[in-house]
Amino acid sequence: MQAIVAVDQNWAIGKQGDQLCYLPPDLKRFQRLTTGHPVLVGRKTLATFPGGRPLKNRRNLILSRDPAFAPEGGEVFPTLEAALAEAGEDTFVIGGESLYRQTLDRCQTVYVTKLHRAYPGADRFFPDLDRDPAWVLAEVEGPYVFGDLAYTYCRYRRAAAPEKENT
């Protein structure tokens, strides 16, 4: 699996139930990378999408404990285990905070858009991969600027497990 996320300088991803910002070039990149792949998303994150609807041209695996929740174009799962049973290696985890934290150990690649500013009052965060020895920064693109916002695209990969010594 892989994950895709936009973070600020403090690795924040959300504030008061919404994304920190909507960056059109990043949204196009998100669409390009995830189209044709399954996406794993929590119900609250899905609510932040246009019309609160599942994404087109992707299999939407949605986590929700509400048995009445049945959005057109999405497959709803009551547990992470049930959703993961349907997810393949090409699945993108797309949020939110809880889902990222529960699935990060299963991901091999994380695409991070780093926003070059801090958003005061942010209340949702992604784990800081720069401080996690399990992750290696594999690729950097940018910086780019859109309006008054600078940002960089980073691709992290899971670090190779240390080799065990033969004794």
Side-chain angles (χ1 to χ4, degrees), residues 117-150:
R117 77 167 50 143
Y119 286 82
D123 55 12
R124 296 288 177 250
F125 294 85
F126 192 87
D128 183 342
L129 300 183
D130 291 326
R131 295 176 186 251
D132 187 337
W135 293 95
V136 174
L137 179 59
E139 183 178 14
V140 177
E141 295 178 39
Y144 302 106
V145 177
F146 184 84
D148 66 347
L149 180 59

Side-chain angles (χ1 to χ4, degrees), residues 146-165:
F146 184 84
D148 66 347
L149 180 59
Y151 59 98
T152 304
Y153 295 133
C154 300
R155 183 176 56 84
Y156 289 82
R157 65 171 171 74
R158 183 164 294 285
E163 291 190 26
K164 295 180 181 178
E165 289 185 24

Side-chain angles (χ1 to χ4, degrees), residues 53-108:
R53 292 187 300 268
L55 300 171
K56 294 179 181 178
N57 303 314
R58 285 152 274 205
R59 182 178 180 201
N60 289 255
L61 309 173
I62 305 162
L63 282 179
S64 176
R65 290 184 204 100
D66 180 356
F69 185 69
E72 186 177 332
E75 299 170 52
V76 180
F77 298 88
T79 66
L80 178 58
E81 293 74 25
L84 289 173
E86 293 293 317
E89 288 182 18
D90 63 336
T91 299
F92 276 88
V93 179
I94 62 173
E97 177 186 45
S98 175
L99 187 56
Y100 284 132
R101 290 188 186 280
Q102 293 177 70
T103 58
L104 190 59
D105 65 336
R106 299 170 186 262
C107 293
Q108 296 303 310

